[in-house]
Amino acid sequence: EAGVTQFPSHSVIEKGQTVTLRCDPISGHDNLYWYRRVMGKEIKFLLHFVKESKQDESGMPNNRFLAERTGGTYSTLKVQPAELEDSGVYFCASSAYRTTYEQYFGPGTRLTVT
Amino acid sequence: EDQVTQSPEALRLQEGESSSLNCSYTVSGLRGLFWYRQDPGKGPEFLFTLYSAGEEKEKERLKATLTKKESFLHITAPKPEDSATYLCAVQARGTSGGSYIPTFGRGTSLIVHP
């Protein structure tokens, strides 16, 4: 069974540019989560999809971040325009059920904004 | 506000030297406490879920316990391959009422020397 995959693994962009991160969850997993870890800090929740619907986006920092999950399969997280403080590692995770915490994480995308 | 504090931040052990990692938490209405292992360049890997005080879970050389205020991850006779960052997270109900938003600690970096 293929795990959660994320693309790209690394991205270096300049302040003001746009970046789109992609996450492919485990096949059949309706629940998809985005997290971010800023250097030196803990992993923080960004948002949660159930199929194609946003169940909770209370962790999204501001309106420069836009997440989509068309068709309930893969998800994208777009940052536009990127700021220096957006640098960090963005993780995606998926789970089969909403109420279980056995989430499967992807390897993350390391975003550096210069 | 939910809080998770892990200690120590870093731990160096000799192979075979048993020790414990601590996770102290403050959360209203704990739904569950979770331990993850994270290797460099990878996403967190699920280890255990604990739901109620007094509960214990074991996996190979790892044993997780839970009280009303903290959790311990005991490592018995560790091997170099146990070297990783160990993350603790607590599960709390999200503001949307349907999403279980996790609060992570910053982790304990464990190095086991041969």
Side-chain angles (χ1 to χ4, degrees), chain B residues 3-72:
Chain B
Q3 285 191 326
V4 176
T5 303
Q6 291 188 246
S7 62
E9 290 186 11
L11 181 63
R12 292 178 180 269
L13 299 174
Q14 287 297 127
E15 184 172 2
E17 180 186 2
S18 301
S19 187
S20 297
L21 313 183
N22 178 264
C23 171
S24 298
Y25 63 89
T26 304
V27 62
S28 55
L30 177 71
R31 299 292 186 266
L33 185 142
F34 312 90
W35 283 98
Y36 290 85
R37 168 191 172 129
Q38 186 174 18
D39 293 296
K42 296 188 177 181
E45 175 188 348
F46 173 82
L47 291 173
F48 302 111
T49 307
L50 300 167
Y51 290 109
S52 58
E55 190 174 358
E56 298 182 352
K57 292 279 181 70
E58 285 189 67
K59 181 179 181 179
E60 296 180 355
R61 295 176 292 282
L62 301 177
K63 179 180 178 179
T65 61
L66 179 65
T67 72
K68 290 186 177 180
K69 294 183 179 181
E70 58 191 349
S71 176
F72 291 94

Side-chain angles (χ1 to χ4, degrees), chain B residues 82-99:
Chain B
D82 294 323
S83 298
T85 295
Y86 291 86
L87 299 170
C88 172
V90 295
Q91 186 185 44
R93 189 173 296 280
T95 55
S96 300
S99 187

Side-chain angles (χ1 to χ4, degrees), chain A residues 37 40 42 48 91 98 101 106, chain B residues 34 36 38 43 98-99 102 106:
Chain A
R37 183 166 195 171
E42 64 275 14
H48 170 207
F91 292 105
R98 178 174 62 84
Y101 224 79
Chain B
F34 312 90
Y36 290 85
Q38 186 174 18
S99 187
R106 296 190 182 186

Side-chain angles (χ1 to χ4, degrees), chain A residues 40-59:
Chain A
K41 303 277 189 172
E42 64 275 14
I43 295 173
K44 288 208 170 182
F45 168 85
L46 295 179
L47 87 160
H48 170 207
F49 282 100
V50 177
K51 297 185 180 179
E52 67 275 10
S53 299
K54 292 176 184 175
Q55 178 72 27
D56 190 323
E57 53 183 329
S58 60

